[in-house]
Amino acid sequence: MESEEGKFTAGKAQVLAFQIGTEESAVCGLPFRITVTGILFAVLLLLSSVSISGFLEGVKEQETLGEVSKLTVAAEQLSMRGEGSEIVLEIRIPRGVSVGFGTLPGREGNWPENADNYYIITGSKSTFYPAVASFSNREINGPLSLGPGRHNLLLSTKIEQGSGRLFVLISETGAD
C-alpha cells in the first residue's frame, strides 16, 4: 500500500481520503431544538385538549337537547289542549348539565316575561331556546331548574289568574 498525501492505493484501485473535521455546531444547537420541540408539543397538546373538551360539551348539549325536546314537544301539545291537561314523562339529564324552564340564564327574576324560554348550561356554556309553551313550577310563581340525573316529571296546564296566561306546570313526581 503506497501513500501520497490524501491518496491511498488498495490493490490497483486508488482511493481518496480526507481528514474528517469535527463540526460541533449541531451539538450546540441540540438543546435549543429539543426545547422548541417540547414547547410545540405542549402547545399542540393544549389545543387538542381544548378541542376535545369543546367537542364533549357539544355532545352533552346535543344529548340534553334530545331529552329536553321530549318535554317541550309534550308541553306544546298540552298547551294546544288547554287547561287541565296532564302527562307524565321521564327525562335524563347528563352529568355536568343543568336545564332551566321558564327563564333565561341569570334572569330568573324576569319571570313570567321569559316564561316561554328554556336554557341548557353545559360547563361554562349556556344556550337558551324559545318555546311555544310558557313554563312554570307547580306553584305558578317562577321558573323551574333541573340538575343532572333521571327525572320523573308531571306536566300539567293551568291558567294563571292574574294574567290569564296558560302555563305548563312542571313538577317532579319522584324516582321509581
Side-chain angles (χ1 to χ4, degrees):
M1 212 193 252
E2 296 175 24
S3 172
E4 293 179 22
E5 191 175 319
K7 294 182 184 178
F8 295 94
T9 55
K12 294 187 179 190
Q14 194 173 35
V15 179
L16 292 175
F18 298 98
Q19 186 173 5
I20 298 176
T22 56
E23 176 65 45
E24 295 185 10
S25 64
V27 174
C28 293
L30 188 59
F32 175 73
R33 289 179 182 170
I34 290 173
T35 302
V36 168
T37 303
I39 291 171
L40 288 175
F41 182 73
V43 167
L44 288 174
L45 190 62
L46 178 67
L47 289 175
S48 64
S49 69
V50 168
S51 175
I52 288 172
S53 173
F55 174 75
L56 292 176
E57 280 188 5
V59 168
K60 279 185 179 181
E61 182 177 352
Q62 288 303 314
E63 182 182 346
T64 305
L65 198 53
E67 287 292 310
V68 169
S69 70
K70 293 180 202 175
L71 188 146
T72 57
V73 167
E76 183 178 341
Q77 291 174 356
L78 289 174
S79 292
M80 288 189 288
R81 292 182 189 158
E83 186 175 23
S85 302
E86 290 184 346
I87 190 169
V88 176
L89 59 92
E90 177 183 285
I91 63 171
R92 295 175 191 262
I93 299 174
R95 186 177 312 159
V97 179
S98 62
V99 181
F101 295 96
T103 187
L104 297 173
R107 298 183 181 167
E108 288 78 11
N110 291 347
W111 186 89
E113 291 84 25
N114 294 328
D116 55 350
N117 294 293
Y118 64 97
Y119 66 84
I120 298 174
I121 296 177
T122 309
S124 61
K125 180 183 175 190
S126 61
T127 310
F128 70 92
Y129 302 91
V132 173
S134 296
F135 299 106
S136 180
N137 57 25
R138 176 183 283 185
E139 291 79 29
I140 313 181
N141 63 2
L144 177 84
S145 293
L146 299 173
R150 186 175 123 195
H151 301 277
N152 290 317
L153 303 173
L154 170 66
L155 276 62
S156 59
T157 54
K158 188 168 184 177
I159 294 177
E160 196 249 338
Q161 297 302 320
S163 65
R165 187 174 182 179
L166 180 70
F167 282 94
V168 174
L169 311 179
I170 304 171
S171 58
E172 295 217 41
T173 62
D176 295 285

